[in-house]
Amino acid sequence: MPFNSPAPRLSRLGPGLVLSIAATGLAFAIHSVFPAVPAMTLAVALGLLSANIPGTAILAAGRARPGLDFAGKHLMRAGIVLLGLKVSIGDVIGLGWLSLLLIAGVVLVSFAGTYGLARLLRLPGEAALLIATGFSICGASAIGAMAAVRRIKHQDTVLPVALVTLCGTLAIGVLPLLMHPLGLNPEQFGAWTGASVHDVGQVVATAQTAGTSALAIAVVVKLTRVVLLAPVAAAAGVHQRIIHVRKRAISTSDGAGGIDGRFPPIVPLFVVGFLAMVALRSLGWVPQTGLEMAAAVQDILLATALFGLGSAVRVRTLIHTGGRAVLVALGSWLLIASLGLGAAWIMIR
């Protein structure tokens, strides 16, 4: 066998990738029957089932684990790149400067509030950072980007992704019930949904209950939040580099080793790819058929990645170790929902 043959790697990753792809197909099949339930949510739910049902738990934890981890990490990044093709800078600017400032304010305050709550409840710093990023920006995609910038272990992203997905699913059922009691018109409801629901698919599932006008503004407001993924990731990258430089200086002065001499990236390559896709979409260089194909591929990549992440969550472990994280997630969900509602009232009167 040639020295560089990919066969050993494929045989190691194959079982997990096949399982992920099959589960993704099932998620989309169920979604086609029940359109109100996003395929991404179904993918996470199937992953959770695979990790906790005796018949599949051994496979998910054993032979399939390398491929499932590969899907959760690398396919997630590929999906983030293609997510950029959904964002048009022209649509974002079209909201007006007041709306842009309000949306940015919602993101920043919800990020700071969630992080502060997480630290108050004594969650580890990296867990607090991931939960704050996912809830304030764009769910699992933002968590994956932040984890890459901060060099956070893949397994440490599992719980934040599960929480942000589950709370986003909760929003699908709760927000439409509050539309009329709060006196919101469809446009206000759409703005509220876009400003406060986490994943793009969950935004669509929630906003479409109020009609096409609600859906249209919800998607634009949501994608404006998605644009903030790049500057937030860059800020985290700069902070990580400063920490790295300080550690190197201390290590050198103490005569100790063990600090990696390589600088962490300020912005990972896949975030650069995301920005490149935003530019292509904004310049109108991608035909509509190309955008539709990319959107379909992106959905498949993210669903496959979310199944891989969900398959690492053990309910027993979650119950014993995730209680405080669940409280942080619910608190963050209420915070961003409240902030988003206030922003929607100001944006659309």
Side-chain angles (χ1 to χ4, degrees), residues 252-265:
T252 302
S253 64
D254 291 344
I259 300 298
D260 189 351
R262 297 172 300 171
F263 287 105

Side-chain angles (χ1 to χ4, degrees), residues 82-293:
L82 291 180
L83 180 61
L85 285 175
K86 290 185 175 180
V87 182
S88 170
I89 297 300
D91 291 341
V92 171
I93 294 175
L95 288 173
W97 291 110
L98 175 60
S99 296
L100 294 178
L101 289 173
L102 286 169
I103 294 167
V106 168
V107 169
L108 292 175
V109 175
S110 60
F111 181 97
T114 301
Y115 185 84
L117 177 61
R119 298 303 285 157
L120 182 64
L121 292 179
R122 299 182 180 178
L123 289 188
E126 302 295 15
L129 180 63
L130 292 179
I131 292 173
T133 304
F135 275 78
S136 62
I137 303 177
C138 56
S141 301
I143 291 171
M146 184 61 73
V149 171
R150 300 288 297 204
R151 294 185 172 180
I152 298 172
K153 294 179 181 178
H154 168 68
Q155 57 265 34
D156 292 336
T157 68
V158 170
L159 179 59
V161 166
L163 291 174
V164 77
T165 303
L166 293 175
C167 285
T169 303
L170 184 64
I172 297 172
V174 173
L175 264 61
L177 297 178
L178 298 176
M179 176 179 171
H180 293 298
L182 291 172
L184 301 175
N185 60 40
E187 290 75 19
Q188 289 173 325
F189 179 75
W192 181 32
T193 301
S196 58
V197 180
H198 316 308
D199 178 76
V200 176
Q202 294 165 343
V203 168
V204 172
T206 307
Q208 68 185 1
T209 61
T212 55
S213 60
L215 179 58
I217 191 168
V219 170
V220 176
V221 171
K222 172 60 189 172
L223 292 178
T224 303
R225 287 169 61 200
V226 172
V227 171
L228 296 174
L229 173 62
V232 169
V238 170
H239 184 253
Q240 181 72 359
R241 181 167 288 203
I242 292 171
I243 293 174
H244 189 81
V245 169
R246 288 177 178 173
K247 287 182 177 180
R248 282 186 63 189
I250 294 172
S251 177
T252 302
S253 64
D254 291 344
I259 300 298
D260 189 351
R262 297 172 300 171
F263 287 105
I266 292 178
V267 180
L269 282 177
F270 69 91
V271 177
V272 175
F274 166 83
L275 291 173
M277 294 301 104
V278 172
L280 288 175
R281 171 64 186 268
S282 301
L283 293 170
W285 289 357
V286 183
Q288 185 60 36
T289 53
L291 294 175
E292 292 172 357
M293 291 177 60

Side-chain angles (χ1 to χ4, degrees), residues 43-59:
V44 173
L46 291 173
L48 289 168
L49 287 174
S50 73
N52 295 279
I53 294 177
T56 58
I58 295 176
L59 176 63

